[in-house]
Amino acid sequence: MNNTDLDCLGLLCPLPVIKLAKLLPTIDIGDTITVLADDPAAATDIPAWCRLRSQELVTADAPRFVVRRLS
Amino acid sequence: MSERAYLDAASAEPLHPAAREMLLSAVDSGWADPVRLHHEGRTARLLLDNARAVLADAVGVRPDELYLTTSGTTAIHAGLTALTAARKRIGTTIVHGAVEHSAVLHTAAEAGVEVGVDTLGRVDLDAFTAAVQKPGVAVAALQSANHEVGTRQPIEAAAEACGDVPLFVDAAASIGHDAVPAGWSALAASAHKWGGPAGVGVLAVRKGTRIAPAWPMDEREDGLSPGFPDVPNILAAAAALQARQSEADELNRQHRVWIDELRHRVAADIPDVEVVGDPDDRLPHILTFSCLYVDGEALVTALDAEGFSVSSGSACTSSTLRPSHVLAAMGVLTHGNVRVSLGRTTTYDDIDRFAAVLPGIVQRIRAEVGL
């Protein structure tokens, strides 16, 4: 399984979520993306995006969020 | 250019015509100091007493249980600190829901024990019960309904769980719009939320509830609201609430139907939208939703340009650049957030045009970021 890093430090929401949404289809199902996002809104919005898009939030430890592609 | 549709009544409503009429006459008759014994003072006192009686009746307390403050926020500050100070021998903890108004959070500060909410914004009653039954709790604070997402809180059950601990209810979002359940020891509300003027808050404290004002006291309002009272605006606030309550059945039924329709259309016509708050057990006039991948500020600005005034809990629309603590506590999407709230002059046409225009605006903003 592979991981891709996504550096969103300094970016304000919704940009981190937009970047995550665009990157997701480029990785294989089962692989992960590690997002670095320090906007306070990301702590709510990245987990909420995973729930809405039915993707797995592996860990959420701001500013580091690990998301696994499930579909 | 079409007419503007003001859909932010939960922030402020234009003065109710009954309040405006009352205010214009009261500035000429109620200007004197109501604690003085002369003719002019007695006139002001009579007017103040009348306003207090009307407000007390509307809130469901006796006139001597109702204090007038200079805003809803000062009513919360005064009420919570006075209840806490009166129970200092028992403890100093203020148990409160995570989605309370910022005035409650600011008052509780370090003394606060926060109780979480579910994704609808409703407080976890088991956790609330456990928290209030611990030793050292001075007071518990729970709003009647949430001001951002409309979800009602379980006031009666919370009051039962509180036992001897006084329950403070911030009813600012509900008074004039929705019934407030019984069981509370103290209640705060704000006149500008029901079509009254800004600068008038009410604090109701039921007899038997001990209070100890926690700042320099004077002879006004039993020390709960120091300073010369604004009798004309207090009268206008009472006139507004009386008028609003006589319209309440019709208006609130209408608002509930329109919000139901809007909720349905937003969810059906816009992809990737999260409509938040309880769909049924809620205030009649508020709808909140978040649009994925949309910048909240861009959305509010684009809607304003099209003639629609709404508010947003997104971080980019706040001065602190932090998202709404309500949305964050619920764990729902905070960006692309819009709150629509209906007032007494809102028409079906406003709602209908809003629902028709919104999908195109959302699509346009998403297209700008390549989605």
Side-chain angles (χ1 to χ4, degrees):
Chain A
M1 295 213 204
N2 297 311
N3 177 70
T4 307
D5 289 332
L6 179 62
D7 184 356
C8 296
L9 294 173
L11 296 183
L12 300 181
C13 273
L15 280 175
V17 175
I18 290 171
K19 285 182 172 287
L20 176 59
K22 285 181 173 172
L23 186 61
L24 192 88
T26 70
I27 68 163
D28 290 333
I29 289 173
D31 285 354
T32 56
I33 297 172
T34 298
V35 190
L36 290 178
D38 53 359
D39 177 20
T44 305
D45 285 8
I46 291 174
W49 180 85
C50 292
R51 177 171 52 77
L52 291 170
R53 304 266 71 171
S54 304
Q55 307 298 332
E56 183 188 350
L57 180 69
V58 183
T59 57
D61 185 16
R64 179 184 297 271
F65 305 85
V66 179
V67 177
R68 188 188 315 281
R69 181 176 175 191
L70 295 182
S71 57
Chain B
M1 180 75 192
S2 55
E3 252 177 275
R4 287 198 67 82
Y6 180 79
L7 300 174
D8 193 18
S11 292
E13 274 201 73
L15 207 54
H16 194 291
R20 190 171 184 281
E21 193 183 327
M22 177 64 80
L23 182 61
L24 290 176
S25 75
V27 288
D28 290 329
S29 54
W31 50 268
D33 188 343
V35 302
R36 298 294 173 232
L37 300 179
H38 45 60
H39 171 76
E40 292 79 3
R42 291 198 312 274
T43 302
R45 176 57 188 257
L46 190 65
L47 294 172
L48 182 59
D49 286 349
N50 286 344
R52 192 187 308 277
V54 167
L55 291 166
D57 183 56
V59 171
V61 295
R62 299 182 344 208
D64 62 353
E65 295 173 316
L66 189 112
Y67 304 97
L68 291 150
T69 68
T70 53
S71 69
T73 294
T74 56
I76 289 172
H77 292 168
L80 267 182
T81 53
L83 287 166
T84 304
R87 282 172 58 87
K88 65 181 173 200
R89 266 181 250 157
I90 292 150
T92 55
T93 301
I94 300 178
V95 172
H96 63 85
V99 298
E100 294 296 308
H101 188 273
S102 56
V104 171
L105 306 186
H106 293 156
T107 308
E110 299 301 306
V113 168
E114 190 169 285
V115 179
V117 297
D118 61 17
T119 51
L120 296 177
R122 185 163 292 115
V123 76
D124 178 339
L125 195 56
D126 290 339
F128 181 88
T129 303
V132 292
Q133 290 176 354
K134 282 193 179 141
V137 177
V139 57
L142 190 63
Q143 61 197 187
S144 53
N146 187 264
H147 49 297
E148 286 186 35
V149 301
T151 299
R152 288 181 185 140
Q153 302 295 350
I155 295 300
E156 276 172 290
E160 207 165 299
C162 278
D164 293 336
V165 174
L167 177 65
F168 179 92
V169 170
D170 165 19
S174 302
I175 299 279
H177 301 274
D178 199 27
V180 177
W184 43 267
S185 302
L187 172 146
S190 175
H192 78 92
K193 303 272 189 186
W194 66 64
V200 180
V202 301
L203 171 63
V205 181
R206 289 210 186 275
K207 282 282 174 268
T209 306
R210 293 184 58 227
I211 47 173
W215 53 80
M217 289 170 64
D218 65 12
E219 74 279 25
R220 318 264 181 183
E221 302 296 315
D222 289 355
L224 280 166
S225 186
F228 194 99
D230 186 348
V231 176
N233 270 313
I234 291 167
L235 274 162
L241 187 53
Q242 202 166 37
R244 190 64 178 69
Q245 287 199 321
S246 72
E247 303 163 350
D249 285 350
E250 174 67 18
L251 267 183
N252 297 348
R253 186 188 54 76
Q254 191 71 83
H255 287 173
R256 191 164 284 280
V257 171
W258 290 348
I259 290 290
D260 277 339
E261 176 178 331
L262 196 54
R263 185 180 191 100
H264 175 78
R265 286 172 71 175
V266 164
D269 297 348
I270 305 173
D272 293 322
V273 68
E274 184 172 35
V275 182
V276 303
D278 196 300
D280 301 308
D281 193 5
R282 61 165 173 85
L283 293 173
H285 64 302
I286 291 179
L287 178 71
T288 303
F289 54 89
S290 299
C291 305
L292 202 52
Y293 313 132
V294 170
D295 178 289
E297 186 179 14
L299 186 51
V300 170
T301 307
L303 282 166
D304 185 51
E306 293 282 342
F308 299 96
S309 310
V310 298
S311 75
S312 170
S314 294
C316 50
T317 66
S318 82
S319 55
T320 58
L321 292 181
R322 297 192 77 85
S324 142
H325 72 276
V326 173
L327 301 175
M330 292 164 66
V332 298
L333 208 61
T334 71
H335 68 252
N337 180 257
V338 165
R339 179 187 69 181
V340 169
S341 52
L342 314 184
R344 57 182 296 282
T345 57
T346 306
T347 64
Y348 178 75
D349 184 55
D350 294 338
I351 306 300
D352 187 45
R353 286 191 296 120
F354 178 80
V357 162
L358 183 67
I361 293 177
V362 170
Q363 192 181 28
R364 196 174 77 218
I365 297 172
R366 282 177 177 162
E368 281 166 12
V369 294
L371 284 164

